[in-house]
Amino acid sequence: MTGVLIVCGAPIGEPRDASPRLAEVLATADVVAAEDTRRVRRLAHALGVTIAGRVTSCYDAVEGARAATLTEYLLAGQTVALITDAGMPAVSDPGFRVVAAAAVAGVPVTVVPGPSAVTAALAVSGLPSDRFTFEGFLPRRGGERRSRLRELAAERRTMVFLEAPHRLASSLADLAAVFGADRAAVACRELTKKWQEIVRGDLGRLAGWATDGREIRGEFTLVVAGAAAGPRRLGFADLAEMSANPGNSIPQDAVLDDLRPPGPPTAAELAAAVAHQEAAGLSRAEARRAVMDHFGVSRAAVYEALVASRASDAKGR
């Protein structure tokens, strides 16, 4: 007879949020697989229980190997409790591989629901929550992060992101550049803890808040409003006109018309398209490549268009 894998949601800060069932599982499981063995022992102490079973670590770097070992315990009839430092295992935390291995082996998997930073932040954000998407952690590298955000720029549902303190400022800056500084957002940290902080505003304000000299501590949950309905669609002639007039700015949420203008693009249209892509958060090199792909023109053609645009701007001054 096989055992059972119990996926345990842990409090995200306040131990009193734990259910009596979690305390019971920690006290009776044959094996407790924890992201941090010291933290799970502290949690058990706070809940007034003693972990009688074997305690083993199951963090990111060892999860693959632990999945095989834990499956052996389960097939031998033991009860295994899987728990992370906070929140639900497998949701931007270790646990997916363990659950998948148990399921493949035909072992029953059940769950002890618990607090979630995602739903807690969504609930206090005041942003629409009837439909939302959880995006987890953004890529660490700036170029990859901006590319991911460009994929999400037109997402209509509220989005929830997680971010580490040392990447918060750069991520907020990229969010503001790609989504637009006026997109509503809420930053939450240390939810349910003594130093809980909830900062509301728009992405521009949050980006400024994160770079005003304060010390950024604790993992953040960012809740960002979805894109407004019907973003303004611009043809390349519109972009060329806007680019030619320094007093006109290209809207951050503008969508380029998918239809190319008849005939080959003019230098002004190419330059305007590059300017639009840069305004959306692409680097100069990324913007050039995007325009080359869209129009089917060479790198030299785009370069010459930019040179001609700069020369025209210089004469206008």
Side-chain angles (χ1 to χ4, degrees):
M1 182 176 179
T2 63
V4 59
L5 175 64
I6 307 177
V7 183
C8 300
I12 59 177
E14 174 54 68
R16 290 176 297 176
D17 290 337
S19 68
R21 185 170 167 229
L22 176 60
E24 178 185 340
V25 168
L26 291 177
T28 60
D30 299 303
V31 180
V32 175
E35 183 177 10
D36 186 321
T37 58
R38 294 167 299 179
R39 289 196 180 189
V40 75
R41 291 187 189 280
R42 287 199 295 269
L43 175 60
H45 177 75
L47 299 179
V49 299
T50 300
I51 298 177
R54 180 189 298 108
V55 178
T56 185
S57 60
C58 187
Y59 51 93
D60 282 325
V62 302
E63 185 189 351
R66 290 289 191 273
T69 302
L70 294 173
T71 301
E72 291 177 4
Y73 293 152
L74 291 163
L75 292 174
Q78 297 188 32
T79 297
V80 175
L82 177 66
I83 189 167
T84 57
D85 293 347
M88 185 63 68
V91 181
S92 287
D93 266 330
F96 163 76
R97 295 177 183 85
V98 177
V99 174
V104 168
V107 173
V109 180
T110 188
V111 63
V112 177
S116 164
V118 174
T119 53
L122 187 65
V124 302
S125 71
L127 295 174
S129 56
D130 54 330
R131 299 175 67 224
F132 72 94
T133 173
F134 175 57
E135 298 298 332
F137 286 93
L138 288 167
R140 298 182 180 185
R141 296 179 180 274
E144 295 174 2
R145 183 169 57 242
R146 289 187 290 272
S147 178
R148 173 75 58 80
L149 291 175
R150 286 192 293 274
E151 294 173 0
L152 297 171
E155 173 60 63
R156 298 281 297 279
R157 294 169 293 183
T158 296
M159 291 164 278
V160 182
F161 302 89
L162 301 179
E163 195 51 274
H166 59 283
R167 292 195 299 270
L168 180 70
S170 56
S171 289
L172 284 171
D174 286 342
L175 278 161
V178 178
F179 287 4
D182 59 350
R183 182 82 70 93
V186 179
C188 306
R189 76 175 187 95
E190 304 289 287
L191 288 172
T192 77
K193 299 179 183 178
K194 180 179 180 180
W195 305 112
Q196 172 177 293
E197 187 170 14
I198 300 171
V199 185
R200 307 174 189 275
D202 54 35
L203 287 171
R205 176 178 179 245
L206 294 187
W209 172 86
T211 54
D212 66 359
R214 72 181 62 246
E215 182 179 11
I216 302 295
R217 302 181 65 179
E219 188 173 287
F220 280 77
T221 306
L222 304 174
V223 186
V224 182
R232 182 178 178 186
R233 301 193 66 86
L234 297 178
F236 288 100
D238 298 319
L239 294 179
E241 181 180 350
M242 288 183 171
S243 180
N245 186 345
N248 291 332
S249 60
I250 300 173
Q252 290 281 354
D253 64 344
V255 176
L256 290 178
D257 193 343
D258 291 333
L259 298 176
R260 298 178 185 176
T266 66
E269 289 168 345
L270 290 176
V274 171
H276 172 73
Q277 298 291 358
E278 287 183 317
L282 274 67
S283 68
R284 172 57 65 91
E286 291 171 333
R288 289 180 180 179
R289 283 194 294 271
V291 172
M292 288 165 53
D293 292 341
H294 188 91
F295 282 100
V297 297
S298 67
R299 184 187 302 273
V302 175
Y303 177 76
E304 290 171 2
L306 293 174
V307 170
S309 176
R310 286 195 291 268
S312 176
D313 290 343
K315 289 181 180 179
R317 290 193 293 268

